[in-house]
Amino acid sequence: PPDIDLKAIENEILNFPAIENIHHVHVWQLSDKEIHLEAHIDFSSDLKLSKATEITRQVVKLLKDKFEITHAILQPEIGSDDSKQIIVDDR
């Protein structure tokens, strides 16, 4: 979607102290009212699942409230060696 500012999304998410990086982001618009986002997020330390889930829920709420993203799937990671670019060319 042309209105989505990935840099602004990245900056907001990186305000969470426990999050080190957001990468491999996919955003698409299904209708005038439905925007979806998928991304990987790197945590800076090995958190308990309950804490990682709580932070992930806060990020999803932020995405909805600030960027009108109606559905978000976030893949939490720590120590993964995948590409850390916000957009990855998988071709």
Side-chain angles (χ1 to χ4, degrees):
D3 298 356
I4 297 294
D5 182 346
L6 290 179
K7 191 64 179 167
I9 290 172
E10 178 184 34
N11 290 339
E12 288 291 331
I13 290 174
L14 293 180
N15 282 328
F16 286 83
I19 297 177
E20 187 173 283
N21 179 278
I22 177 170
H23 58 282
H24 212 148
V25 176
H26 301 266
V27 182
W28 65 99
Q29 188 164 358
L30 294 177
S31 68
D32 289 344
K33 297 179 181 179
E34 201 169 346
I35 299 173
H36 289 215
L37 176 142
E38 290 181 353
H40 300 201
I41 52 172
D42 282 327
F43 285 97
S44 54
S45 63
D46 193 1
L47 303 174
K48 289 177 63 174
L49 180 58
S50 58
K51 184 65 175 174
T53 300
E54 176 189 328
I55 294 167
T56 301
R57 283 185 185 136
Q58 291 172 7
V59 172
V60 168
K61 182 175 179 350
L62 167 89
L63 291 169
K64 184 174 184 181
D65 294 348
K66 187 154 189 162
F67 299 100
E68 299 179 354
I69 293 172
T70 54
H71 182 77
I73 298 174
L74 301 173
Q75 178 175 317
E77 300 178 338
I78 183 163
S80 177
D81 63 355
D82 58 344
S83 173
K84 302 303 177 190
Q85 297 175 341
I86 193 159
I87 298 173
V88 176
D89 186 353
D90 285 334
R91 289 180 278 162

